[in-house]
Amino acid sequence: YKETKFKAQNFYPEFEYETSNGTEFSIDENGKLVFYFDFDREVNDTVLSQDECVQKAKEFLKDIVDITPYTVNVVDDAEDKYYKIYFAKNINGIKTTDHMRVRVSYDGTIYSYSAFMLDRVPVNTQTEDIDFEKIEQAVITKADSIYKDIKDNYDRIDYGQPEYILTILKDGKRAVICTIEVNAVVVQGIYEARTPEQLQMVIPVD
């Protein structure tokens, strides 16, 4: 045993362990593997196809979680010679916090794995009753109150388009994580100087 951690977006602890050769792994309170890093992996000259590496990732995950509800996206990291394979659970087109990342070396070796809110957002979670327009209005109103004291220092405050992620809170109720880009703008003739930052809010919907 090494330490107990809480990942961003997770409401539950992860218990981290390290083997004698430096390999690290973590499990959640149910004993499910949620993190793995192979420090001592041996890489050979074998080069598998992208599809074969994706299949390696699926085989690795099949004993951890049912991957059927997850969509797969692959990024080829040619410089480091591995694929970043993302497994994301979307419900009715809405992104959720329930996702996994697996890095697979070109030779098919599982390099690392990390899961977030693993299997915590049920596929039958209701979304039709979520009023995203109302949520956006609430977020803008809150942002206005947060930035009201600095508005006099800028010509205007601009808000980007909100991005929404559906999640489940510790009490089992639904919530939406809203991320919005905020730009404090100073106009200098025909030019604009922007100071950007991101504002993130958790909005309960139940």
Side-chain angles (χ1 to χ4, degrees):
Y1 174 77
K2 187 177 178 182
E3 60 181 326
T4 300
K5 288 183 176 181
F6 284 85
K7 282 182 187 168
Q9 301 181 350
N10 289 359
F11 60 74
Y12 54 88
E14 296 182 3
F15 307 100
E16 184 174 314
Y17 297 83
E18 184 175 348
T19 65
S20 58
N21 66 358
T23 297
E24 296 179 352
F25 67 94
S26 299
I27 59 175
D28 64 13
E29 77 276 27
N30 299 317
K32 187 171 291 188
L33 186 69
V34 290
F35 175 79
Y36 170 82
F37 178 75
D38 187 358
F39 180 80
D40 197 34
R41 73 190 190 286
E42 295 182 3
V43 180
N44 56 53
D45 294 330
T46 303
V47 177
L48 302 182
S49 69
Q50 177 176 304
D51 288 344
E52 289 174 318
C53 287
V54 170
Q55 187 58 37
K56 291 287 185 180
K58 289 180 176 180
E59 290 173 0
F60 173 81
L61 295 173
K62 70 180 183 181
D63 293 328
I64 302 172
V65 67
D66 177 12
I67 63 172
T68 305
Y70 296 84
T71 57
V72 181
N73 184 47
V74 183
V75 175
D76 185 353
D77 189 331
E79 182 177 351
D80 291 323
K81 298 183 177 179
Y82 61 73
Y83 292 103
K84 299 175 185 177
I85 306 172
Y86 299 88
F87 294 80
K89 183 184 287 182
N90 298 328
I91 299 176
N92 296 328
I94 302 172
K95 184 178 179 181
T96 78
T97 51
D98 189 342
H99 66 285
M100 299 168 283
R101 298 195 298 252
V102 184
R103 289 193 288 183
V104 182
S105 300
Y106 280 1
D107 67 351
T109 302
I110 302 297
Y111 175 28
S112 68
Y113 152 75
S114 189
F116 300 82
M117 286 293 289
L118 182 62
D119 211 21
R120 306 280 177 149
V121 183
V123 293
N124 61 352
T125 300
Q126 187 175 354
T127 61
E128 293 82 358
D129 62 332
I130 300 177
D131 188 340
F132 286 98
E133 289 186 4
K134 184 177 180 180
I135 290 174
E136 181 175 352
Q137 291 172 0
V139 168
I140 297 300
T141 299
K142 183 64 176 179
D144 282 340
S145 69
I146 292 173
Y147 292 98
K148 66 178 181 179
D149 292 335
I150 68 168
K151 282 186 175 182
D152 292 341
N153 300 324
Y154 297 91
D155 291 297
R156 69 176 190 272
I157 303 293
D158 288 346
Y159 302 126
Q161 186 66 31
E163 296 182 0
Y164 303 108
I165 302 177
L166 178 66
T167 193
I168 299 295
L169 302 177
K170 189 175 182 179
D171 60 6
K173 295 182 178 180
R174 299 170 300 164
V176 172
I177 300 174
C178 178
T179 304
I180 189 170
E181 183 174 292
V182 181
N183 281 279
V185 182
V186 175
V187 178
Q188 300 170 330
I190 62 172
Y191 300 102
E192 292 184 347
R194 291 174 170 263
T195 303
E197 65 179 36
Q198 282 194 334
L199 179 65
Q200 190 171 79
M201 303 182 195
V202 179
I203 313 294
V205 295
D206 286 328

